[in-house]
Amino acid sequence: IAGITQAPTSQILAAGRRMTLRCTQDMRHNAMYWYRQDLGLGLRLIHYSNTAGTTGKGEVPDGYSVSRANTDDFPLTLASAVPSQTSVYFCASSRGPYYNEQFFGPGTRLTVL
Amino acid sequence: SQQGEEDPQALSIQEGENATMNCSYKTSINNLQWYRQNSGRGLVHLILIRSNEREKHSGRLRVTLDTSKKSSSLLITASRAADTASYFCATDYTVGGSNYKLTFGKGTLLTVNP
C-alpha cells in the first residue's frame, strides 16, 4: 500500500441498509478526514480524527459515524442509508491537524436507491 | 461561511497560455492551500501559502496571497493539455482557539485545449 486506499470503489445500496466505507493509510499520519463531494456544493467535511482514539464532527455529520481504533484505519458508517447520501466520498489524511497538506484517497462513489 | 470561493467557475484556454484562478474568503486564516482534481480522482495538494507569505512558486505554479483583501490567486504558466482539471482553494483557520478547520471552495474547472 502506498498512500491512502478506499474500498469499495463504488457501491449501489438500497435505502435503509447499513454500509461501511473503508479507509486505510500507510503514512502514519495522525489526522484523518471524511468528505463528501456533490456537484455544485464542493467538498464538505463529514467527520475528522486528529489522532487515534479521537473523533470530531464536521460540517455535515448527521447520518454518519466514524471510529479511529488505530492510526491507519478510519471507517465511515452509514447506519441507515438514505438517497440524499448519494455522493462521492473521499478519505484524506495529514501529518497533523494543523498547517498541513492533506492527502486524498481515490474516492468511493455511493448510490442510494 | 468560511468557505473560499473560486473565480471563475470555469476557464477554457489554449495550450501555452497562462491560466489565472482566484479565491476569496471571509475571515482570518492560518494558511491557504490549492488542490487539483482530475476527473474521477481524488484531490492532489499543489501548494500551501502561509498567512505571513505574499507569494510562492512551485514549478509552473505561482500563488499570491493578499490577506488585506482576503484573496489569493493561482497562476499556471505555459499551460498544457494535462493541466485540464478542477482546482480548489482551501482555507485553514482556527475555531475556538484549538479546533482546526480546513474548508474547500467549489472549484474552478480549467480546460486546456491542445
Side-chain angles (χ1 to χ4, degrees), chain A residues 90-102:
Chain A
F90 289 100
C91 180
S93 72
S94 65
R95 282 189 291 122
Y98 304 103
Y99 315 121
N100 287 300
E101 66 178 280
Q102 293 186 10

Side-chain angles (χ1 to χ4, degrees), chain A residues 36 38 40-45 59, chain B residues 1-6 23-27 29 32 70 88-93 101-107:
Chain A
R36 59 177 290 173
D38 303 286
L41 296 176
L43 271 81
R44 294 180 291 169
L45 182 66
E59 183 183 354
Chain B
S1 167
Q2 172 62 28
Q3 185 180 53
E5 294 287 341
E6 292 92 344
C23 173
S24 60
Y25 56 92
K26 296 182 180 178
T27 63
I29 61 173
L32 185 144
K70 294 185 172 59
F88 295 86
C89 71
T91 50
D92 154 356
Y93 65 106
K101 300 291 183 185
L102 183 68
T103 58
F104 288 81
K106 296 177 183 178

Side-chain angles (χ1 to χ4, degrees), chain B residues 59-112:
Chain B
R60 293 184 297 112
L61 305 180
R62 173 178 169 253
V63 170
T64 62
L65 179 63
D66 187 334
T67 53
S68 67
K69 296 181 178 178
K70 294 185 172 59
S71 67
S72 174
S73 67
L74 171 67
L75 169 68
I76 303 174
T77 60
S79 63
R80 306 166 181 166
D83 293 329
T84 295
S86 290
Y87 292 82
F88 295 86
C89 71
T91 50
D92 154 356
Y93 65 106
T94 303
V95 176
S98 60
N99 290 318
Y100 163 87
K101 300 291 183 185
L102 183 68
T103 58
F104 288 81
K106 296 177 183 178
T108 291
L109 176 60
L110 172 66
T111 302
V112 181

Side-chain angles (χ1 to χ4, degrees), chain A:
Chain A
I1 298 177
I4 297 185
T5 58
Q6 292 184 238
T9 302
S10 64
Q11 182 75 43
I12 298 174
L13 190 66
R17 297 296 295 269
R18 180 184 180 91
M19 176 74 191
T20 295
L21 308 184
R22 300 185 298 278
C23 174
T24 299
Q25 53 104 357
D26 66 353
M27 297 175 282
R28 307 304 294 173
H29 283 173
N30 286 315
M32 297 187 74
Y33 316 86
W34 274 105
Y35 295 90
R36 59 177 290 173
Q37 184 176 33
D38 303 286
L39 196 63
L41 296 176
L43 271 81
R44 294 180 291 169
L45 182 66
I46 304 171
H47 284 288
Y48 65 94
S49 168
N50 287 340
T51 189
T54 69
T55 62
K57 294 182 179 180
E59 183 183 354
V60 288
D62 294 344
Y64 305 95
S65 64
V66 291
S67 62
R68 186 87 185 278
N70 57 60
T71 297
D72 298 344
D73 301 300
F74 191 42
L76 175 73
T77 297
L78 289 67
S80 180
V82 295
S84 62
Q85 292 177 312
T86 293
S87 186
V88 181
Y89 291 86
F90 289 100
C91 180
S93 72
S94 65
R95 282 189 291 122
Y98 304 103
Y99 315 121
N100 287 300
E101 66 178 280
Q102 293 186 10
F103 293 81
F104 282 77
T108 293
R109 182 174 296 276
L110 181 67
T111 303
V112 183
L113 302 175

